[in-house]
Amino acid sequence: GRSHESQYMNPSSQKATLSADKSAAASRAPKRERGRQRVAALIDAASRVIAARGYAAATMTAIAAEAGAAIGSLYQFFPTKAALAEVLLGRYGERLGAALDALSARSGTLTPETLAEGLAAMMLDLTADRAAVMAILDARADTVGARQQLRARCETGIGRLLLAVRPDVADYDMAMMRLTLLYMGKAILAMAVDAPQSTSRLRAHAARAMSL
């Protein structure tokens, strides 16, 4: 494999590399639907391989094989593994934001119970994406900012939902409730990885546990 698949640069240069890789990947974005579908398949394959092997052990060769694509096709759209990592982080952020926005759009009709159900379902729906994202965040020293942005987006979204459902709660208690739900969400994701065959039961138990 290429040296960038197994070697890390020093942290001071990694941020610039990620930015450059993101720009390079963007410039290769396909214009036709068939090309967009192929790129989506490559990104999905990268997510699965990174989630299963970890970021350091995931090679471009393995990702291409998982997608059933030629290695040249992968490099055509993603010149480095870092470029793929950037896309996966961005996609997860977008999906997390969209899920929170969808819940927020229903905030006028949510009860504490249905909010808990919605949050539990959201966390479980994001399980597959999050596994790869966490592998990237844990492996790369240049993703501290991305981790902070994702946490802030999640905290802000949960806080907005809590305020809509429980406007009577004092500020201090609201902060504690928001933090509790955040960490319970992480626990739900970990449990989903340990017991993937029990997702439906986990969803029901998680919703009950998260009821406010």
Side-chain angles (χ1 to χ4, degrees):
R2 298 188 181 184
S3 60
H4 62 259
E5 292 182 7
S6 59
Q7 300 296 322
Y8 290 97
M9 297 171 290
N10 63 68
S12 64
S13 62
Q14 284 181 330
K15 186 173 183 180
T17 301
L18 261 182
S19 179
D21 284 327
K22 183 178 180 181
S23 298
S27 68
R28 292 169 168 78
K31 303 298 188 293
R32 297 182 179 179
E33 179 60 25
R34 183 177 178 182
R36 287 194 290 270
Q37 291 177 356
R38 182 167 54 168
V39 167
L42 291 170
I43 296 170
D44 287 341
S47 180
R48 293 192 296 271
V49 172
I50 292 172
R53 301 188 181 190
Y55 180 74
T59 65
M60 296 291 270
T61 300
I63 291 168
E66 175 70 18
I71 188 68
S73 179
L74 178 59
Y75 280 119
Q76 175 186 355
F77 297 107
F78 302 101
T80 65
K81 188 168 65 174
L84 270 169
E86 183 74 19
V87 170
L88 285 169
L89 291 174
R91 186 177 74 168
Y92 180 74
E94 290 172 0
R95 289 181 173 179
L96 174 63
L100 287 167
D101 287 345
L103 273 176
S104 184
R106 297 168 45 206
S107 61
T109 62
L110 290 175
T111 64
E113 291 74 24
T114 56
L115 172 58
E117 291 171 3
L119 286 173
M122 180 191 81
M123 294 295 184
L124 290 170
D125 289 344
L126 292 172
T127 300
D129 285 335
R130 188 176 185 276
V133 165
M134 291 309 299
I136 295 167
L137 294 177
D138 289 342
R140 297 189 64 104
D142 57 340
T143 57
V144 174
R147 185 190 293 271
Q148 292 173 340
Q149 288 176 4
L150 288 171
R151 181 186 174 103
R153 177 174 291 187
C154 198
E155 282 197 45
T156 299
I158 291 174
R160 186 170 62 244
L161 288 164
L162 282 172
L163 188 62
V165 174
R166 295 294 303 273
D168 56 311
V169 176
D171 290 346
Y172 176 78
D173 289 330
M174 182 68 75
M176 290 297 99
M177 289 171 66
R178 184 178 67 242
L179 195 59
T180 298
L181 287 177
L182 184 67
Y183 279 97
M184 287 182 72
K186 291 181 179 181
I188 290 168
L189 289 164
M191 291 167 67
V193 172
D194 290 341
Q197 73 281 2
S198 304
T199 301
S200 59
R201 292 177 61 194
L202 177 57
R203 187 182 300 249
H205 284 293
R208 284 196 293 271
M210 296 176 78
S211 294
L212 308 170

